[in-house]
Amino acid sequence: MKNSTKKAAIGFIFVTLLIDITGWGIILPVVPKLIKELIHGDISEAAQYGGWLGFTYAFTQFIFSPVIGNLSDQYGRRPIILISLFGFAVDYLFLALAPSIGWLFLGRIIAGLTGASISTASAYIADISTDKDRAKNFGMIGAALGLGFIIGPVIGGLLGHYGARVPFYAAAGLCFLNFLYGYFILPESLDQNKRRAFVWKRANPIGSLHFLRKHREISGLVIALVLVYIGIHAVQSNWHFFTMYKFGWTERMVGVSLGTLGLLLGLVQGVLIRWTTPKLGEQKSVYYGLVCYALGLLLFAFATQGWMMFVFLIPYSLGGICGPALQSIITKNIPSNEQGELQGSLTSLVSATSIIGPPIMTNLFYYFTHDEAPFKFSGAPFFLASVLMTISVIIVYFVFRQNKSN
């Protein structure tokens, strides 16, 4: 691939991921309102459905992502990326036109079946990168994801003012335009001589998890990481329902708050972490990050005014220093020739937490906010997440202590 073509391809991948995440962010602020319309219920009942919609998408993607990834090794990256973009456009159109709640689930299944744009885009970047520019090119993926999560919710919040379905049409239009752009512009990155036949055994989503069973020395750290990712779903899956219920926020305010969260997380993981990890070291970064997560989540749980949520975003966002440090410590315990398998296993594990996290958090919110709740406590998901972060602190303390004694 020529340098000029390569640059254009990398630019397209950046735009693809940016539009993907922007489209996802656009619909976040209006999901509660659309679900309420379709079920003719309140925000508490809508949260339950929201959690199961998240479960449906994550479970479908967990099962089919390895299949899609293996298909891209046989047929090339380009067709898979285009199918993924078209699938997302259809999904958003289903959501926009949905006459019943069942259509939302059907749309999420379609998105889960085809939604492999991030993993396939990563493979595309790997195909066209050299050792010299690989890190820089992969850095563009993180930048696209971060930027998309900043601008998507803000746009969605603004468009939601004109109707709950308007942001879904906007997201569908973005994805379809991206599909057309890719169809005419994007070259294939995987040469014919580098392709391999599809093998069902290698497309097994459970198989990659067996790797972790072989390495008991990292089991404690992996458990801590799992608890962190489950806890984060108190924010990812529950934020819009909680703030609308507790403070009566509009879609616009939800969008602004999520955009603020995206900006803060981007600053922490893109800027601050370059200073904290060398200064504090990895172990202290893990400790301080988990404590910040636990504190921020606890403050969310007991917030009494809407402005407090913006202030409490600061300690919560500072928790972002723990994830990269914890993953770095885990990788140091694994031989270099097994790092690829480790990353695949960790990715599968994160996907699994996206299956169980949303229904846990949204059903807990429903339990403590519906009319027959034993007592009202809308912050229950944040409180549970804070407890999970605290347990993670205890786990890593004993792991680090044991490693030090060895």
Side-chain angles (χ1 to χ4, degrees):
M1 190 180 290
K2 296 179 180 178
N3 283 336
S4 58
T5 307
K6 184 185 293 187
K7 286 182 179 179
I10 291 173
F12 173 82
I13 293 298
F14 176 84
V15 172
T16 295
L17 294 178
L18 177 61
I19 291 178
D20 259 14
I21 302 303
T22 299
W24 179 73
I26 281 175
I27 70 172
L28 274 181
V30 293
V31 166
K33 186 176 181 179
L34 180 59
I35 295 175
K36 282 169 60 181
E37 285 183 8
L38 294 175
I39 66 171
H40 307 291
D42 58 20
I43 193 73
S44 181
E45 294 170 316
Q48 263 195 316
Y49 281 95
W52 289 116
L53 283 168
F55 166 87
T56 301
Y57 172 72
F59 181 77
T60 309
Q61 191 170 55
F62 177 75
I63 297 298
F64 286 95
S65 277
V67 176
I68 298 296
N70 277 268
L71 285 173
S72 78
D73 285 339
Q74 178 172 356
Y75 297 106
R77 318 299 185 202
R78 183 178 184 273
I80 301 302
I81 290 175
L82 293 178
I83 290 171
S84 177
L85 292 174
F86 190 77
F88 270 120
V90 172
D91 166 41
Y92 292 137
L93 205 55
F94 262 84
L95 301 183
L97 297 170
S100 67
I101 193 69
W103 277 52
L104 297 192
F105 282 95
L106 180 58
R108 292 283 77 190
I109 290 172
I110 292 172
L113 285 170
T114 61
S117 57
I118 295 178
S119 58
T120 310
S122 298
Y124 191 105
I125 292 293
D127 292 339
I128 66 175
S129 297
T130 63
D131 291 339
K132 184 179 179 181
D133 60 12
R134 182 171 281 108
K136 180 184 71 174
N137 290 343
F138 273 110
M140 291 182 64
I141 295 178
L145 300 182
L147 187 59
F149 193 74
I150 293 170
I151 63 179
V154 176
I155 295 173
L158 294 173
L159 292 177
H161 179 70
Y162 301 100
R165 297 172 187 261
V166 173
F168 293 94
Y169 284 114
L174 278 175
C175 284
F176 188 67
L177 287 174
N178 203 16
F179 164 78
L180 291 177
Y181 177 50
Y183 182 82
F184 290 108
I185 301 296
L186 185 68
E188 179 54 64
S189 65
L190 189 64
D191 295 334
Q192 289 284 349
N193 60 351
K194 293 183 179 178
R195 300 185 185 185
R196 65 173 178 82
F198 180 88
V199 180
W200 277 107
K201 187 176 181 181
R202 297 180 71 167
N204 176 12
I206 306 298
S208 60
L209 297 177
H210 291 318
F211 172 82
L212 298 175
R213 295 177 59 188
K214 297 189 300 182
H215 292 276
R216 300 298 176 92
E217 68 274 17
I218 61 171
S219 59
L221 298 177
V222 169
I223 291 172
L225 193 64
V226 167
L227 294 179
V228 168
Y229 279 114
I230 293 175
I232 286 174
H233 275 283
V235 174
Q236 290 183 354
S237 305
N238 190 61
W239 180 271
H240 39 352
F241 296 108
F242 171 80
T243 52
M244 287 180 169
Y245 173 89
K246 181 80 172 179
F247 310 115
W249 279 8
T250 62
E251 291 80 10
R252 182 177 300 179
M253 184 60 75
V254 171
V256 169
S257 66
L258 289 173
T260 303
L261 173 59
L263 177 62
L264 289 173
L265 288 174
L267 289 173
V268 169
Q269 297 192 344
V271 180
L272 185 63
I273 204 168
R274 298 180 182 180
W275 178 83
T276 55
T277 303
K279 290 285 185 181
L280 299 175
E282 290 176 340
Q283 290 193 9
K284 284 187 178 179
S285 293
V286 172
Y287 282 134
Y288 292 154
L290 288 174
V291 169
C292 285
Y293 267 148
L295 176 62
L297 289 161
L298 190 64
L299 292 171
F300 289 154
F302 294 100
T304 56
Q305 300 289 330
W307 62 265
M308 293 180 178
M309 299 299 284
F310 283 91
V311 176
F312 299 157
L313 280 174
I314 297 173
Y316 175 79
S317 298
L318 289 173
I321 68 173
C322 88
L326 186 54
Q327 289 190 351
S328 177
I329 294 171
I330 291 173
T331 59
K332 288 178 180 178
N333 286 275
I334 301 299
S336 58
N337 62 350
E338 296 182 23
Q339 288 295 323
E341 195 172 359
L342 168 66
Q343 294 306 318
S345 298
L346 292 178
T347 300
S348 296
L349 212 55
V350 171
S351 299
T353 64
S354 296
I355 295 172
I356 62 176
I360 288 175
M361 296 304 174
T362 55
N363 276 283
L364 190 61
F365 173 80
Y366 169 78
Y367 182 77
F368 284 104
T369 56
H370 76 286
D371 293 338
E372 298 179 6
F375 59 91
K376 299 288 185 177
F377 182 32
S378 56
F382 296 123
F383 184 80
L384 172 61
S386 182
V387 171
L388 294 178
M389 298 298 179
T390 304
I391 294 173
S392 293
V393 174
I394 296 171
I395 291 173
V396 298
Y397 169 77
F398 282 108
V399 171
F400 292 157
R401 186 179 176 185
Q402 183 178 8
N403 291 345
K404 190 175 181 180
S405 63
N406 292 339

